[in-house]
């Protein structure tokens, strides 16, 4: 008998009393094979120190079992992978991909240059693409999809596109954040975020809608199109107070990191939160409830979103239709705008 070191797939199939194709499917956890059979063959493989030659398997299937996750950062931004929300999205995507037997290749829109199809798919770096963020331009994603790249985007799911977009109900989130501040007695509300960004533009639309429904005019002088970082928010709030005094009593921040910068600027000036200025963020990152005061925010369900994105991408890889989908959001009331 062959040594376990040289055991082949056909040897393992013979030991298990099944065909070679059944053994292969069982080792790849293919649901076509009964779970009890899969578990028995996998246990035999472990007992005999057998593992599939991954490289040979990939050559046979023409699959890399890798998905490229691209952080679609806008030009001239200081936002990076260090952003806690992006880290959370990437972490949840990694888990969702691993659960389906795929590895994650992390890149960004600058590293990938302009031709995502050739850089990732044609060069066989990855089987498909998950793009985190529409940013201000979708051209790279549009070109990749037209070239035939299996592609899913995290962004505004109400956008018209030739590929599936998964994302939160951004307009409703912006509306709920604004309504909460108005109902708490705040009337002059800053919108802190870049309205030219697809998702932030929808949050701004919700901000405007809430004002209209409350019979309030929103002051366009209080719309601050800043970069998506805490430092940009900190600088803008300081600059505004220096130039105009405290001419607002509430802030709708486009992200929790932006809210964090605004909160810091106000606290350094001993401005009471929420007594003088209420703040609502967006994302519900882990540190939101640890801030002082704890941050009222709009929670995005990134775990559910990651699962949906992976499912829609695998549908494309398996020749099935894929669709955009809206993920529910939730207002989390804490102390910054109670």
């Amino acid at each position: 008998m062959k040594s376990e070191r040289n055991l082949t797939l056909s040897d393992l199939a013979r030991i298990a009393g099944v065909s070679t194709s059944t053994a292969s499917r069982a080792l790849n956890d293919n649901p076509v094979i009964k779970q009890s059979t899969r578990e028995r063959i996998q246990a035999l493989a472990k007992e005999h120190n057998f593992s599939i030659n991954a490289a040979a398997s990939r050559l046979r299937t023409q699959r890399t079992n890798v998905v490229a996750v691209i952080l679609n950062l806008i030009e001239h931004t200081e936002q990076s992978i260090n952003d806690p929300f992006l880290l959370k999205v990437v972490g949840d995507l990694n888990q969702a991909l691993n659960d389906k037997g795929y590895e994650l290749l992390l890149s960004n829109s600058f590293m990938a240059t302009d031709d995502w199809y050739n850089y990732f798919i044609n060069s066989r770096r990855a089987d498909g693409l998950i793009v985190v963020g529409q940013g201000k331009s979708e051209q790279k994603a549009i070109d990749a999809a037209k070239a035939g790249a299996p592609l899913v985007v995290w962004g505004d799911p109400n956008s018209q596109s030739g590929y599936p977009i998964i994302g939160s109900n951004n307009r409703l989130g912006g509306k709920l954040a604004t309504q909460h501040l108005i109902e708490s007695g705040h009337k002059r509300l800053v919108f802190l975020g870049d309205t030219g960004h697809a998702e932030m533009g929808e949050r701004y639309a919700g901000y405007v809608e809430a004002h209209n429904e409350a019979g309030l005019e929103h002051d366009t002088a209080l719309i601050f199109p800043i970069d998506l970082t805490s430092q940009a928010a900190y600088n803008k709030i300081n600059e505004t107070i220096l130039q105009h005094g405290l001419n607002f009593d509430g802030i709708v921040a486009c992200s929790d990191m932006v809210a964090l910068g605004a909160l810091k600027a106000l606290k350094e000036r001993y401005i009471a939160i929420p007594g003088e200025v209420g703040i609502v963020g967006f994302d519900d990152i882990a540190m939101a409830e640890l801030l002082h005061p704890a941050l009222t925010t709009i929670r995005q369900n990134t775990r559910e979103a990651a699962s949906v994105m992976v499912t829609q991408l695998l549908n494309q890889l398996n020749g099935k239709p894929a669709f955009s989908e809206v993920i529910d959001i939730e207002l989390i009331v804490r102390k910054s705008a109670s």
Side-chain angles (χ1 to χ4, degrees):
M1 180 179 175
K2 294 185 178 182
S3 68
E4 291 181 345
R5 180 180 297 274
N6 297 319
L7 199 71
T8 66
L9 181 63
S10 59
D11 293 329
L12 181 67
R14 180 175 50 77
I15 294 170
V18 298
S19 67
T20 302
S21 61
T22 296
S24 176
R25 291 191 179 100
L27 291 172
N28 284 292
D29 216 25
N30 190 317
V32 170
I33 308 302
K34 288 195 303 183
Q35 184 174 350
S36 58
T37 303
R38 279 182 277 157
E39 290 174 351
R40 181 172 66 84
I41 293 172
Q42 288 166 11
L44 281 169
K46 186 175 181 180
E47 177 186 340
H48 291 275
N49 297 317
F50 176 85
S51 63
I52 296 177
N53 183 313
S57 176
R58 289 173 179 178
L59 284 172
R60 287 193 301 273
T61 62
Q62 296 298 302
R63 291 276 181 92
T64 66
N65 288 338
V66 173
V67 169
V69 172
I70 305 171
L71 302 182
N72 192 23
L73 303 175
I74 61 176
E75 292 184 5
H76 312 301
T77 183
E78 295 296 323
Q79 188 185 31
S80 71
I81 185 59
N82 294 327
D83 185 304
F85 180 70
L86 292 182
L87 283 173
K88 190 172 189 303
V89 173
V90 170
D92 287 337
L93 280 171
N94 186 57
Q95 185 62 59
L97 287 167
N98 291 170
D99 288 346
K100 297 296 185 180
Y102 282 79
E103 296 179 57
L104 180 150
L105 170 64
L106 183 62
S107 188
N108 63 54
S109 49
F110 307 130
M111 182 66 185
T113 68
D114 292 333
D115 191 346
W116 291 351
Y117 178 81
N118 275 320
Y119 187 85
F120 290 107
I121 308 301
N122 205 34
S123 66
R124 298 191 51 73
R125 284 183 171 91
D127 297 327
L129 310 176
I130 295 178
V131 182
V132 179
Q134 287 171 280
K136 291 186 176 183
S137 172
E138 299 177 69
Q139 195 57 51
K140 294 178 184 178
I142 291 170
D143 292 344
K146 284 182 177 178
L151 173 73
V152 175
V153 172
W154 164 265
D156 172 38
N158 295 314
S159 300
Q160 297 298 315
S161 67
Y163 45 80
I165 300 177
I166 311 302
S168 297
N169 193 331
N170 290 291
R171 183 172 298 210
L172 177 60
K175 182 177 180 179
L176 290 177
T178 308
Q179 283 179 335
H180 181 72
L181 284 168
I182 292 172
E183 290 167 1
S184 299
H186 305 278
K187 304 300 181 185
R188 288 186 54 76
L189 308 182
V190 164
F191 183 84
L192 204 51
D194 188 348
T195 59
H197 188 289
E199 295 158 82
M200 309 312 156
E202 280 294 289
R203 293 170 197 179
Y204 172 66
Y207 162 94
V208 172
E209 189 175 325
H211 276 84
N212 292 340
E213 289 187 5
L216 296 174
E217 287 190 22
H218 67 284
D219 187 349
T220 55
L222 296 179
I223 311 305
F224 301 154
I226 63 165
D227 193 13
L228 305 180
T229 65
S230 56
Q231 187 63 49
Y234 175 82
N235 293 342
K236 187 61 181 180
I237 294 301
N238 272 326
E239 173 192 316
T240 300
I241 294 174
L242 281 172
Q243 291 181 356
H244 307 289
L246 191 60
N247 63 341
F248 57 89
D249 63 4
I251 297 174
V252 177
C254 68
S255 76
D256 286 351
M257 290 304 291
V258 164
L260 176 59
L263 189 148
K264 178 185 177 186
L266 294 173
K267 288 180 70 175
E268 287 183 355
R269 294 176 177 276
Y270 301 100
I271 295 169
I273 306 168
E276 295 178 86
V277 179
I279 304 178
V280 180
F282 207 110
D283 291 335
D284 195 29
I285 60 177
M287 71 174 71
E289 63 179 336
L290 303 177
L291 298 174
H292 181 69
L295 185 63
T296 295
T297 188
I298 302 296
R299 175 177 293 164
Q300 300 200 77
N301 191 337
T302 56
R303 181 174 295 181
E304 179 185 352
S307 176
V308 172
M309 283 188 278
V310 170
T311 295
Q312 296 296 351
L313 183 66
L314 295 186
N315 282 346
Q316 294 174 66
L317 290 173
N318 294 321
K320 299 177 182 177
F323 306 96
S324 295
E325 190 166 333
V326 178
I327 306 299
D328 288 337
I329 47 85
E330 180 183 2
L331 174 68
I332 306 298
V333 178
R334 298 192 179 104
K335 299 296 184 181
S336 71
S338 54

